[in-house]
Amino acid sequence: MEYVKTSDTIISQLEEEIEVFKHASKQGLPGGHGKSLQSTNKENENLQHNVENAEYRIEELQASYDRLHKQHLIVKQNLDTSNRESEDLKTRLSQVAGAKLVAGNSCIADLGDKYRPTKIAEMFSELYDTEWTDAVDKLMSLKKDWSEDLAVRHLFIVLQVCYKTCSELAKRQLDSICKKLFLDIPSEQMTEQLDRHITEVKQIRDARKGLARDMSQFLIGEIFGYDQFKKECKKYKELDQELLFHIRNTEFTEKCVMICWLMVVQDPEMFIDDDMSPGERFNKDIYREYTQSGTKIAFSVWPALYLKKGGPLLSKGVVQVAN
């Protein structure tokens, strides 16, 4: 930077000196009144000599000016390039630092994300208040030999199975993408690469979140056919296939799949409680009572929702209790 300032000063001085010599070289001959011809000729020769010297000096100065000006432009261009590279490096370092800070850190929320965890928690609560209630009413209106408790339990099971299936699919999806990016290198090498490319991995996760709503629409029609879904269903011995069929064709199931997929593509993924065991003590800090009061859990109606596994509670669950 100091070199550029010095060059600017020298160039300005050269420009002034060039103008002085140009002015001097253009001066006319002095008047000849009162002088001899010999004296006049001598003055003309001296003046001509001075003009030639001035023109030569102008050429020298012009050459020096051109050389310095060219050097000045090169230095300035190099300085601009260095400044751009410095800014690019700062930006890159900032992105890496930001990615490291945000990656897996659910405490930092992107307020521009319409599907951030707090918004998903609101959708989850609305699902229980609206679509869940409508589904219970619809199932009871079929006048089958099902109790309301059985219908409620099956809706809980569908939610649990959807969530666990989505969670497993999301893990496989991210693992598959990373493997393809690194050409199926051994897992220990891939882990090392993922640690080195935190910013790029975050971009993959962000892209997946951006596609989540559309992806969930595909899952709505396919999730019941996945082996993982069938595997999870087998864990519930009381499952009634006819009741499950009718639940499948409700708006509750559609919205359930969408919300569950939005949950599992968060970083880290959101978490819902597993089925509570009958006889466990009722914890009013985590659950609300369903239709009656008591101190012991009879069965789970709606799971509690957490920001992440072991993280803060976002939405209370609902349980049927008894004494």
Side-chain angles (χ1 to χ4, degrees):
M1 183 64 72
E2 191 62 35
Y3 176 84
V4 174
K5 291 181 179 178
T6 304
S7 297
D8 287 338
T9 303
I10 294 174
I11 289 171
S12 296
Q13 291 174 349
L14 287 174
E15 288 175 341
E16 291 176 3
E17 196 170 344
I18 289 171
E19 288 301 318
V20 169
F21 276 99
K22 283 183 177 179
H23 180 73
S25 68
K26 291 179 181 179
Q27 295 298 310
L29 295 174
H33 298 292
K35 294 184 179 181
S36 66
L37 180 61
Q38 185 177 2
S39 174
T40 301
N41 288 337
K42 183 65 176 177
E43 289 180 358
N44 286 343
E45 288 177 3
N46 290 337
L47 183 60
Q48 182 64 37
H49 180 70
N50 289 339
V51 168
E52 290 175 354
N53 286 339
E55 289 176 346
Y56 178 74
R57 180 59 179 160
I58 288 172
E59 290 177 0
E60 282 187 329
L61 291 172
Q62 187 67 52
S64 296
Y65 171 83
D66 292 342
R67 184 177 64 258
L68 282 173
H69 185 65
K70 184 177 180 180
Q71 291 175 351
H72 173 79
L73 291 177
I74 292 173
V75 170
K76 189 175 184 300
Q77 185 178 23
N78 291 338
L79 182 61
D80 291 341
T81 301
S82 296
N83 286 336
R84 282 196 303 272
E85 291 175 350
S86 177
E87 288 301 317
D88 289 344
L89 181 58
K90 288 179 182 178
T91 301
R92 173 68 176 167
L93 290 173
S94 177
Q95 289 175 342
V96 171
K100 286 183 177 180
L101 182 64
V102 174
N105 191 344
S106 54
C107 296
I108 300 177
D110 179 3
L111 298 181
D113 182 4
K114 62 181 179 179
Y115 295 128
R116 60 187 181 274
T118 51
K119 289 295 183 182
I120 295 173
E122 291 175 10
M123 297 167 65
F124 189 67
S125 295
E126 291 171 4
L127 176 62
Y128 176 71
D129 292 337
T130 305
E131 284 79 13
W132 181 90
T133 302
D134 292 344
V136 172
D137 291 341
K138 179 180 179 180
L139 294 171
M140 292 298 96
S141 70
L142 295 175
K143 301 191 182 301
K144 298 286 185 177
D145 189 21
W146 302 320
S147 66
E148 181 177 326
D149 286 354
L150 184 64
V152 167
R153 281 294 298 160
H154 274 65
L155 290 171
F156 177 85
I157 291 170
V158 168
L159 172 59
Q160 284 285 339
V161 172
C162 284
Y163 171 78
K164 290 175 181 176
T165 302
C166 286
S167 179
E168 182 61 29
L169 290 174
K171 288 183 178 70
R172 292 180 189 174
Q173 182 192 52
L174 186 60
D175 185 57
S176 176
I177 292 171
C178 291
K179 282 183 177 179
K180 294 303 179 186
L181 282 175
F182 294 107
L183 302 176
D184 295 317
I185 61 177
S187 57
E188 62 274 7
Q189 292 183 31
M190 189 173 75
T191 300
E192 180 183 344
Q193 290 297 323
L194 293 177
D195 290 340
R196 289 176 57 190
H197 296 280
I198 294 175
T199 302
E200 290 77 12
V201 173
K202 183 181 181 301
Q203 290 172 345
I204 294 172
R205 291 182 180 276
D206 288 344
R208 189 171 65 157
K209 284 175 66 176
L211 297 170
R213 186 65 184 262
D214 290 338
M215 180 63 188
S216 68
Q217 299 307 302
F218 167 78
L219 279 176
I220 288 170
E222 301 293 330
I223 196 167
F224 278 75
Y226 279 105
D227 291 339
Q228 186 68 31
F229 188 93
K230 297 173 182 177
K231 178 182 175 182
E232 293 294 335
C233 283
K234 290 178 180 179
K235 296 178 182 179
Y236 298 91
K237 304 302 182 184
E238 73 268 39
L239 202 62
D240 184 298
Q241 291 299 325
E242 184 181 4
L243 184 49
L244 183 63
F245 172 79
H246 286 288
I247 292 175
R248 179 176 181 173
N249 297 315
T250 61
E251 191 174 344
F252 166 81
T253 298
E254 293 183 7
K255 199 165 182 180
C256 179
V257 173
M258 179 191 72
I259 294 174
C260 285
W261 185 254
L262 291 174
M263 287 179 184
V264 300
V265 297
Q266 301 300 308
D267 183 26
E269 73 175 40
M270 300 171 73
F271 178 76
I272 62 173
D273 256 346
D274 289 324
D275 197 2
M276 303 302 294
S277 301
E280 286 190 51
R281 187 170 183 81
F282 170 61
N283 186 343
K284 65 179 181 180
D285 293 330
I286 301 176
Y287 294 98
R288 293 183 284 118
E289 298 156 318
Y290 181 42
T291 60
Q292 59 191 38
S293 299
T295 58
K296 302 291 184 182
I297 294 175
F299 59 85
S300 297
V301 175
W302 194 252
L305 173 64
Y306 297 88
L307 185 59
K308 61 180 180 178
K309 190 171 184 177
L313 179 70
L314 292 180
S315 177
K316 283 187 176 183
V318 180
V319 290
Q320 183 65 292
V321 292
N323 290 318

